[in-house]
Amino acid sequence: ETGVTQSPTHLIKTRGQQVTLRCSSQSGHNTVSWYQQALGQGPQFIFQYYREEENGRGNFPPRFSGLQFPNYSSELNVNALELDDSALYLCASSLGSHAWAEAFFGQGTRLTVV
Amino acid sequence: GIQVEQSPPDLILQEGANSTLRCNFSDSVNNLQWFHQNPWGQLINLFYIPSGTKQNGRLSATTVATERYSLLYISSSQTTDSGVYFCAVAYGGSQGNLIFGKGTKLSVKP
């Protein structure tokens, strides 16, 4: 059984640029959620994808967007990067989008915006 | 929305000591998970425990859903237990996304 994998592990971008982060869900899981974790804080929900559709969104601006592919893998895109976007981005997969589904996380992508 | 509070925020132990971490939540939940975040940032699943008691080796957890709290017990702590422990909940109105507490940072000294 393959766990959740994310790429890249580290990334440095310049303010104003765009970035794409990738996530492969755990085998058999059809739902992917993305979280942003600032230093010293708990992860904050960005959005969730289920059956290739956005299925819920946290308090993040539209320049945060995503995709889910037929194999359930997902991308997180951030446009017009700001310094405050520097954070650890975590992807989680689950079987189903309901509240009682257990979530499993990848190792994260650490994004630094300079 | 639902509030999740973890205590204590920081905990320093000598190797071999026992500890109890607490998670309070402000409303009924369908999902409660405990995670250990390792130094590289990965969240490791410890327990899926919306109610009841579970044990896994030196770790155990209890959730009393009617009183809206969960406890994580670590016995005979080891230096490898160091890191940040997060409690996260989900409920019907959260569409499955997890709401995290701020974590408890545990340091186990040799």
Side-chain angles (χ1 to χ4, degrees):
Chain A
E1 185 177 277
T2 307
V4 181
T5 59
Q6 293 185 241
S7 62
T9 54
H10 294 83
L11 203 51
I12 300 175
K13 289 286 190 178
T14 301
R15 190 172 50 181
Q17 285 187 317
Q18 179 264 346
V19 69
T20 297
L21 311 182
R22 294 177 174 83
C23 172
S24 293
S25 62
Q26 182 167 313
S27 176
H29 285 183
N30 57 11
T31 302
V32 172
S33 302
W34 287 91
Y35 293 80
Q36 181 196 66
Q37 186 179 16
L39 202 60
Q41 302 295 317
Q44 298 290 316
F45 174 68
I46 303 174
F47 45 56
Q48 180 183 85
Y49 278 83
Y50 173 65
R51 294 183 173 177
E52 302 178 54
E53 298 282 336
E54 187 179 291
N55 188 48
R57 188 178 186 92
N59 189 25
F60 281 82
R63 59 189 184 84
F64 285 77
S65 63
L67 285 173
Q68 186 179 34
F69 300 98
N71 66 354
Y72 305 127
S73 66
S74 177
E75 288 182 353
L76 163 65
N77 299 291
V78 186
N79 293 322
L81 283 167
E82 301 177 359
L83 297 179
D84 284 349
D85 295 333
S86 295
L88 179 67
Y89 288 85
L90 294 161
C91 166
S93 76
S94 59
L95 180 58
S97 63
H98 40 78
W100 57 87
E102 185 175 7
F104 295 84
F105 284 80
Q107 81 279 21
T109 294
R110 195 167 296 277
L111 173 64
T112 302
V113 182
V114 297
Chain B
I2 198 167
Q3 304 297 314
V4 181
E5 295 184 356
Q6 292 187 242
S7 59
D10 295 279
L11 189 56
I12 301 174
L13 299 175
Q14 284 298 126
E15 200 168 25
N18 302 328
S19 62
T20 301
L21 283 58
R22 187 176 180 102
C23 173
N24 292 333
F25 43 96
S26 59
D27 208 338
S28 300
V29 299
N30 299 107
N31 179 354
L32 188 145
Q33 294 184 238
W34 282 98
F35 297 95
H36 176 211
Q37 189 163 43
N38 66 23
W40 298 273
Q42 184 162 14
L43 288 170
I44 308 298
N45 289 49
L46 297 178
F47 294 101
Y48 170 83
I49 188 165
S51 64
T53 297
K54 291 185 177 180
Q55 180 157 7
N56 184 3
R58 296 182 296 104
L59 274 61
S60 64
T62 295
T63 298
V64 183
T66 53
E67 297 188 20
R68 299 177 184 167
Y69 73 88
S70 183
L71 302 173
L72 176 67
Y73 304 96
I74 305 174
S75 65
S76 304
S77 58
Q78 301 176 357
T79 56
T80 52
D81 295 331
S82 296
V84 183
Y85 289 80
F86 286 103
C87 165
V89 303
Y91 63 106
S94 69
Q95 293 180 295
N97 64 278
L98 290 170
I99 298 140
F100 283 77
K102 293 186 176 181
T104 291
K105 184 176 181 181
L106 175 65
S107 299
V108 181
K109 305 296 184 185

